[in-house]
Amino acid sequence: MDINQVAQLLNDTLSPDVNAVRTATDALDRLSLLPHFPFCLLYIASGGENQGLRIAAAMYLKNLTRRNIDSNASCTNISKEFKDQLMRVLLQAEPSVLKVLLEAFRVIVGVEFVKQNSWPELVHELQSAIQSSYLISKDANSGWTTVNGLMVLHALIKPFQYFLNPKLAKEPVPPQLELIAKEIIVPMLSIFHCFVEKVLANNYSTELDTEKILLIVCKCIFFSVKSHLPFALIPHLSSFCHDLIMILGSLSFDDGNTVKDNLLRFKTGKRGLLIFSALVTRHRKFSDKLMPDIMNSVLQIVKYSANISKLDFLQERIISLAFDVISHVLETGPGWRLVSPHFSVLLDKAIFPAFVLNEKDISEWEEDADEYIRKNLPSELEEISGWREDLFTARKSAINLLGVISVSKGPPMGTPSNCSSVSSKRKKGEKSKRNSMRSTMGELLVLPFLSRFPIPCDANASHSRIQKDYFGVLMAYGGLQEFLREQKSEFTANLVRSRVLPLYSVSVCLPYLVASANWILGELVSCLPEDISADVYSSLLKALQMLDKGDTSCYPVRASAAGAIVGLLENDYMPPEWYPLLQVIVGRIGYEDEENSILFELLSSVVGAANENVADHIPYIVSSLVAAISKHMHPSSEPWPQVVERGFAALALMAQYWENFLHEEVELDQSSGKWESGQAAIAKAFSALLQQAWLTHIQPLECEVSAPPSCIDDSSMLLRSIILSVSERNVIEELKLSELLLVWADLIGDWHAWEETEDLSVFDCIKEIVNLHSKYELKNFIVRQMPPPPAPPVPPQSIIEGIGAFLSEAILQYPSATWRACSCVHTLLHVPKYSFETEGVKQSLTISFSRAAFSRFRAIQSKPSSLWKPVVLAISSCYLCYPAVVEGILKKDEDGGFALWGSALAFLCSSSLEPRLSLESEIKLAVLTLAKVVERLLGLGNPGSSLLQDCYASLMEAAVQLKEVQEDEENDEGDDEEAEDEEDDNEESEDDDEDSEGDECEETEEEFLERYAKAAVNLENNTLVEEGDVEDQEHDIELGSLDEVDQLKVVASLIERYHNVIMQGQPLSSQLISKFLKTSKFMKLQSFSKSILVHPPYMQ
């Protein structure tokens, strides 16, 4: 292979010319099939003429390696020669190339070393390379770079930071990790110690490579102890931890400037604290003796918390981790003895200074209020995606530590006089009795300390020191939630009345304090008695209305108030009046983009908590929201602004609540003209909004739409609400429903941005559209009217064609939607009335559905599963519509698609295991389909075929089951009243059961691991429930005119006509025939029983 050619092609991939890049990529893909191609890439990555070319070669090698292993993970077939060459390149590559090549190395290691353990020489070779590298061996002629060797070690050990076998509740240390620790890490620890002494002697003037080595070794140790602890490391933990303590002692926290020149040292210190946390929390047996020295080290760090406003982020993160280490130590057995002597100093000199309002807080409040809220006022209304290390601030860690301290038990208040005499005969309850006699540090230390700071009032509110300190007091109260839960509710109520609620009455604006007070109230709602909830609510409602004060934004005040109100509602508080709250929320929506998402969340929570109490206000809410959303909706915006998307979600929720409320009113027979007018107003508002969103995109003489496909699911809910409001044909015209449905059908027909959600409104909307068409015959539903000339060459699709395209894609691509999509297939094929002119549309739908359903079935056919039933029944509906067409589609399959489907249908009808047919509508469809299949197979002249016999036997079983189900339903109708009485009698016992749930013991770590190990085994054995909503499996399918057919007569007619031919095949089981004859006595079909009795098939 010509290396120059490969290099040129790689250079071409860097070209700005798109065509040149495509041509070069295609050529490289063809060359990648050759065995020596990866070696060429390695050669170029290590010796290319420029850095861009070397990186391009490394990048292509990484992608090629990942592609090859992903396609055949069980057998990688990577040659030893290539792996050796890759190792040599890794040990010499420049940093930019090394970073890319390590990704390829991790892919190979993950399979060959971690999973298969088929690279035994790797550890020895890497150990040899590291020991002979130039910084370790001091050999200037060494070709290996020490940093590169340790980076390879880092990539090698990283997979072992987690447990690898979830099926084991207690996983032993992997032998590969043990080998790495013994052969490489342990020998490195003595070198690590020498390097630590070297950097400490030279302070901050050490070589960069030395600092890198310290950081990488610490990362490798962290990955080794994060989950497991190799036995070889245990004897060396003490000396290594003391080295880390020396590194931490060399860090400076006076200001943030020292980090810039010593970034690696601070990163090493941060990693050291993570190691301490892992040792204390996971490996107590080996870390107890180290805790005193660890505690002394972190105590020196946390005292710098008063400087956090001046410190760099990394410095603050180190202080945060130091607080976390103290918390972890305090939660251990010897923790009280080690930490309690320092409680007072910690609280005064470290914890509280981290709470006090500082310049960084004020700056962040003004410049990035959302970030301020996430760090200081977190609530469930905030959306935080991923793992955000910058949110783990020193203040949050200090709050957590204060909470741990506050619930720690202090010395006993008193000792029983006879304690010594009966120490050997203590009763079981005596231990808890003694614990109750011991006061917590919250009572003894924390609350008395916080009471030293006066609450701001009109007389002293202008003093900035008082405001800043009381900000810290409020932050401290936020950490006492666990402590306050253990106190009587009146205790917490008095604390809130005296130390929090007065802040809302101060005439001077205190936004920083009020925002924190809101957050505190939200944190403490579960601890508050009912009699104070009204005062708390009125204070929060006042804060929710706080306007900006000059240049000071009060957005954090309103956001924290919203979060606290949600917490109050979730704690079952019901305001005396809902309208003032709704008026405030709706009135502010649309003014500030940053607040809209929080206000929409609050609105949803309010409506959900209020239920029927806000039903009267829903039309007003809907109209106000539509007006606010319309101002932000522009025809050219795609995607829609966040306020619009949030608004559609809120409107969809309003529509759902309104529908539920109307349903309850109908059941209670309390519907009136007021509710009808409300429904009409909601429908008009929804229609106007959807017209603005969709119909403004249609230009004159255009037949295609270009509406943005945003909020499809929520739009479907709005559309469904409009449909449910239609009571007369003229309403369809007034609301422009036909036009909206056309656009909606086009959107879902070309919709690929699927969201895996439990409840998709699109499917519910489809069924309502079909029902509406059955009543009023919608325009453009089955066949779309041709636009005026000049007409397009291809006729535009109708509503049902757009729906059909959506359903086919759902069946093909999305397992979670299979049940609902297949249910809609039955509805579209059987409910609408197709004329002779529209039969072509029905046939086109049948072809599309049968292809999609059979393709899905082929993907899951290897093992019976719950998804068999919907796809097999969907094909059955298609087969009943056009048997010859569907049979032709199935027979195109090389493995006999028609026979596969027929056998699966027979299995569903005859199986006593899941999946099986259980609903009457399913059995009816199966009976009609099997009768049609049997008749078709008999027409082929092969009565002895196994498929015919299976289908015939299953037909008999299905007929018996259908009759039994019908009789059971008749019997069940008479038992409904008794069942209702039993349900009423059981309500009280259910309430008692719910109350007893709170008394259950909290799950231990061992129980948690055992449960997840069992779940992992079930997942591997495919015994877990497949994707899809279980409730979807319990709904009857719509058969339309097929439901009027007497299925049992169809079976009787088939037997009468073909019993002589069927007798030539394999005999039926005696059990089946006996059951069939017994059931037929109740069918009152004499010919049915007679044909079996006179000409019985041979019995087995």
Side-chain angles (χ1 to χ4, degrees), residues 129-145:
I130 293 174
Q131 291 296 328
S132 60
S133 61
Y134 75 97
L135 282 180
I136 305 296
S137 65
K138 307 299 182 182
D139 182 3
N141 297 322
S142 174
W144 310 137
T145 305

PDB file of all heavy atoms in Angstrom, residues 129-145:
ATOM      1  N   ALA A 129       8.145  -0.306  29.781  1.00  0.00           N
ATOM      2  CA  ALA A 129       8.287   0.967  29.082  1.00  0.00           C
ATOM      3  C   ALA A 129       8.360   2.131  30.059  1.00  0.00           C
ATOM      4  O   ALA A 129       9.173   3.055  29.891  1.00  0.00           O
ATOM      5  CB  ALA A 129       7.122   1.148  28.110  1.00  0.00           C
ATOM      6  N   ILE A 130       7.533   2.105  31.101  1.00  0.00           N
ATOM      7  CA  ILE A 130       7.539   3.203  32.076  1.00  0.00           C
ATOM      8  C   ILE A 130       8.860   3.226  32.845  1.00  0.00           C
ATOM      9  O   ILE A 130       9.459   4.289  33.061  1.00  0.00           O
ATOM     10  CB  ILE A 130       6.336   3.065  33.032  1.00  0.00           C
ATOM     11  CG1 ILE A 130       5.022   3.295  32.272  1.00  0.00           C
ATOM     12  CG2 ILE A 130       6.454   4.055  34.185  1.00  0.00           C
ATOM     13  CD1 ILE A 130       3.783   3.051  33.098  1.00  0.00           C
ATOM     14  N   GLN A 131       9.326   2.066  33.258  1.00  0.00           N
ATOM     15  CA  GLN A 131      10.565   2.005  34.037  1.00  0.00           C
ATOM     16  C   GLN A 131      11.781   2.454  33.225  1.00  0.00           C
ATOM     17  O   GLN A 131      12.740   3.003  33.773  1.00  0.00           O
ATOM     18  CB  GLN A 131      10.782   0.573  34.549  1.00  0.00           C
ATOM     19  CG  GLN A 131       9.786   0.149  35.618  1.00  0.00           C
ATOM     20  CD  GLN A 131       9.900   0.974  36.885  1.00  0.00           C
ATOM     21  OE1 GLN A 131      10.985   1.435  37.247  1.00  0.00           O
ATOM     22  NE2 GLN A 131       8.770   1.173  37.559  1.00  0.00           N
ATOM     23  N   SER A 132      11.729   2.239  31.909  1.00  0.00           N
ATOM     24  CA  SER A 132      12.867   2.618  31.065  1.00  0.00           C
ATOM     25  C   SER A 132      12.703   3.992  30.433  1.00  0.00           C
ATOM     26  O   SER A 132      13.538   4.413  29.629  1.00  0.00           O
ATOM     27  CB  SER A 132      13.063   1.572  29.966  1.00  0.00           C
ATOM     28  OG  SER A 132      11.905   1.475  29.147  1.00  0.00           O
ATOM     29  N   SER A 133      11.591   4.706  30.757  1.00  0.00           N
ATOM     30  CA  SER A 133      11.381   6.039  30.190  1.00  0.00           C
ATOM     31  C   SER A 133      12.401   7.015  30.771  1.00  0.00           C
ATOM     32  O   SER A 133      12.986   6.775  31.839  1.00  0.00           O
ATOM     33  CB  SER A 133       9.956   6.511  30.476  1.00  0.00           C
ATOM     34  OG  SER A 133       9.734   6.601  31.865  1.00  0.00           O
ATOM     35  N   TYR A 134      12.569   8.152  30.115  1.00  0.00           N
ATOM     36  CA  TYR A 134      13.722   8.996  30.407  1.00  0.00           C
ATOM     37  C   TYR A 134      13.663   9.638  31.788  1.00  0.00           C
ATOM     38  O   TYR A 134      14.692   9.820  32.437  1.00  0.00           O
ATOM     39  CB  TYR A 134      13.890  10.055  29.312  1.00  0.00           C
ATOM     40  CG  TYR A 134      12.907  11.195  29.375  1.00  0.00           C
ATOM     41  CD1 TYR A 134      13.247  12.399  29.986  1.00  0.00           C
ATOM     42  CD2 TYR A 134      11.642  11.082  28.794  1.00  0.00           C
ATOM     43  CE1 TYR A 134      12.360  13.443  30.035  1.00  0.00           C
ATOM     44  CE2 TYR A 134      10.751  12.119  28.832  1.00  0.00           C
ATOM     45  CZ  TYR A 134      11.108  13.307  29.456  1.00  0.00           C
ATOM     46  OH  TYR A 134      10.214  14.334  29.491  1.00  0.00           O
ATOM     47  N   LEU A 135      12.486   9.991  32.308  1.00  0.00           N
ATOM     48  CA  LEU A 135      12.423  10.623  33.628  1.00  0.00           C
ATOM     49  C   LEU A 135      12.582   9.617  34.761  1.00  0.00           C
ATOM     50  O   LEU A 135      12.974   9.986  35.869  1.00  0.00           O
ATOM     51  CB  LEU A 135      11.086  11.359  33.801  1.00  0.00           C
ATOM     52  CG  LEU A 135      10.970  12.717  33.108  1.00  0.00           C
ATOM     53  CD1 LEU A 135       9.600  13.329  33.358  1.00  0.00           C
ATOM     54  CD2 LEU A 135      12.055  13.671  33.584  1.00  0.00           C
ATOM     55  N   ILE A 136      12.295   8.358  34.483  1.00  0.00           N
ATOM     56  CA  ILE A 136      12.419   7.324  35.516  1.00  0.00           C
ATOM     57  C   ILE A 136      13.821   6.729  35.506  1.00  0.00           C
ATOM     58  O   ILE A 136      14.483   6.606  36.547  1.00  0.00           O
ATOM     59  CB  ILE A 136      11.370   6.212  35.320  1.00  0.00           C
ATOM     60  CG1 ILE A 136       9.959   6.802  35.265  1.00  0.00           C
ATOM     61  CG2 ILE A 136      11.485   5.160  36.417  1.00  0.00           C
ATOM     62  CD1 ILE A 136       9.513   7.479  36.529  1.00  0.00           C
ATOM     63  N   SER A 137      14.286   6.357  34.315  1.00  0.00           N
ATOM     64  CA  SER A 137      15.599   5.704  34.218  1.00  0.00           C
ATOM     65  C   SER A 137      16.754   6.700  34.170  1.00  0.00           C
ATOM     66  O   SER A 137      17.914   6.308  34.283  1.00  0.00           O
ATOM     67  CB  SER A 137      15.638   4.823  32.965  1.00  0.00           C
ATOM     68  OG  SER A 137      15.547   5.630  31.794  1.00  0.00           O
ATOM     69  N   LYS A 138      16.433   7.978  33.963  1.00  0.00           N
ATOM     70  CA  LYS A 138      17.443   9.023  33.827  1.00  0.00           C
ATOM     71  C   LYS A 138      18.340   8.799  32.611  1.00  0.00           C
ATOM     72  O   LYS A 138      19.455   9.327  32.535  1.00  0.00           O
ATOM     73  CB  LYS A 138      18.325   9.120  35.084  1.00  0.00           C
ATOM     74  CG  LYS A 138      17.549   9.283  36.380  1.00  0.00           C
ATOM     75  CD  LYS A 138      16.717  10.550  36.390  1.00  0.00           C
ATOM     76  CE  LYS A 138      15.987  10.708  37.716  1.00  0.00           C
ATOM     77  NZ  LYS A 138      15.135  11.923  37.718  1.00  0.00           N
ATOM     78  N   ASP A 139      17.863   8.035  31.664  1.00  0.00           N
ATOM     79  CA  ASP A 139      18.610   7.745  30.447  1.00  0.00           C
ATOM     80  C   ASP A 139      18.172   8.735  29.369  1.00  0.00           C
ATOM     81  O   ASP A 139      17.054   8.663  28.866  1.00  0.00           O
ATOM     82  CB  ASP A 139      18.359   6.307  30.000  1.00  0.00           C
ATOM     83  CG  ASP A 139      19.170   5.930  28.752  1.00  0.00           C
ATOM     84  OD1 ASP A 139      19.969   6.783  28.285  1.00  0.00           O
ATOM     85  OD2 ASP A 139      19.005   4.809  28.254  1.00  0.00           O
ATOM     86  N   ALA A 140      19.066   9.624  29.002  1.00  0.00           N
ATOM     87  CA  ALA A 140      18.722  10.640  28.000  1.00  0.00           C
ATOM     88  C   ALA A 140      18.464  10.042  26.638  1.00  0.00           C
ATOM     89  O   ALA A 140      17.801  10.657  25.795  1.00  0.00           O
ATOM     90  CB  ALA A 140      19.841  11.672  27.902  1.00  0.00           C
ATOM     91  N   ASN A 141      18.968   8.829  26.392  1.00  0.00           N
ATOM     92  CA  ASN A 141      18.781   8.186  25.086  1.00  0.00           C
ATOM     93  C   ASN A 141      17.523   7.326  25.022  1.00  0.00           C
ATOM     94  O   ASN A 141      17.264   6.680  24.009  1.00  0.00           O
ATOM     95  CB  ASN A 141      20.002   7.309  24.767  1.00  0.00           C
ATOM     96  CG  ASN A 141      21.275   8.134  24.651  1.00  0.00           C
ATOM     97  OD1 ASN A 141      21.249   9.252  24.114  1.00  0.00           O
ATOM     98  ND2 ASN A 141      22.394   7.598  25.143  1.00  0.00           N
ATOM     99  N   SER A 142      16.768   7.289  26.105  1.00  0.00           N
ATOM    100  CA  SER A 142      15.538   6.476  26.109  1.00  0.00           C
ATOM    101  C   SER A 142      14.540   7.044  25.106  1.00  0.00           C
ATOM    102  O   SER A 142      14.323   8.257  25.032  1.00  0.00           O
ATOM    103  CB  SER A 142      14.922   6.472  27.512  1.00  0.00           C
ATOM    104  OG  SER A 142      13.683   5.809  27.488  1.00  0.00           O
ATOM    105  N   GLY A 143      13.928   6.153  24.365  1.00  0.00           N
ATOM    106  CA  GLY A 143      12.966   6.602  23.353  1.00  0.00           C
ATOM    107  C   GLY A 143      11.560   6.762  23.887  1.00  0.00           C
ATOM    108  O   GLY A 143      10.670   7.214  23.170  1.00  0.00           O
ATOM    109  N   TRP A 144      11.350   6.360  25.147  1.00  0.00           N
ATOM    110  CA  TRP A 144       9.999   6.416  25.693  1.00  0.00           C
ATOM    111  C   TRP A 144       9.820   7.656  26.560  1.00  0.00           C
ATOM    112  O   TRP A 144      10.679   8.007  27.360  1.00  0.00           O
ATOM    113  CB  TRP A 144       9.692   5.173  26.523  1.00  0.00           C
ATOM    114  CG  TRP A 144       9.982   3.848  25.876  1.00  0.00           C
ATOM    115  CD1 TRP A 144      10.567   2.771  26.457  1.00  0.00           C
ATOM    116  CD2 TRP A 144       9.693   3.460  24.531  1.00  0.00           C
ATOM    117  NE1 TRP A 144      10.667   1.733  25.577  1.00  0.00           N
ATOM    118  CE2 TRP A 144      10.132   2.133  24.376  1.00  0.00           C
ATOM    119  CE3 TRP A 144       9.120   4.104  23.422  1.00  0.00           C
ATOM    120  CZ2 TRP A 144      10.016   1.433  23.180  1.00  0.00           C
ATOM    121  CZ3 TRP A 144       9.002   3.412  22.235  1.00  0.00           C
ATOM    122  CH2 TRP A 144       9.438   2.098  22.112  1.00  0.00           C
ATOM    123  N   THR A 145       8.647   8.275  26.423  1.00  0.00           N
ATOM    124  CA  THR A 145       8.316   9.450  27.221  1.00  0.00           C
ATOM    125  C   THR A 145       7.555   9.018  28.466  1.00  0.00           C
ATOM    126  O   THR A 145       6.548   8.306  28.368  1.00  0.00           O
ATOM    127  CB  THR A 145       7.446  10.432  26.399  1.00  0.00           C
ATOM    128  OG1 THR A 145       8.138  10.748  25.190  1.00  0.00           O
ATOM    129  CG2 THR A 145       7.177  11.701  27.183  1.00  0.00           C
TER     130      THR A 145
END
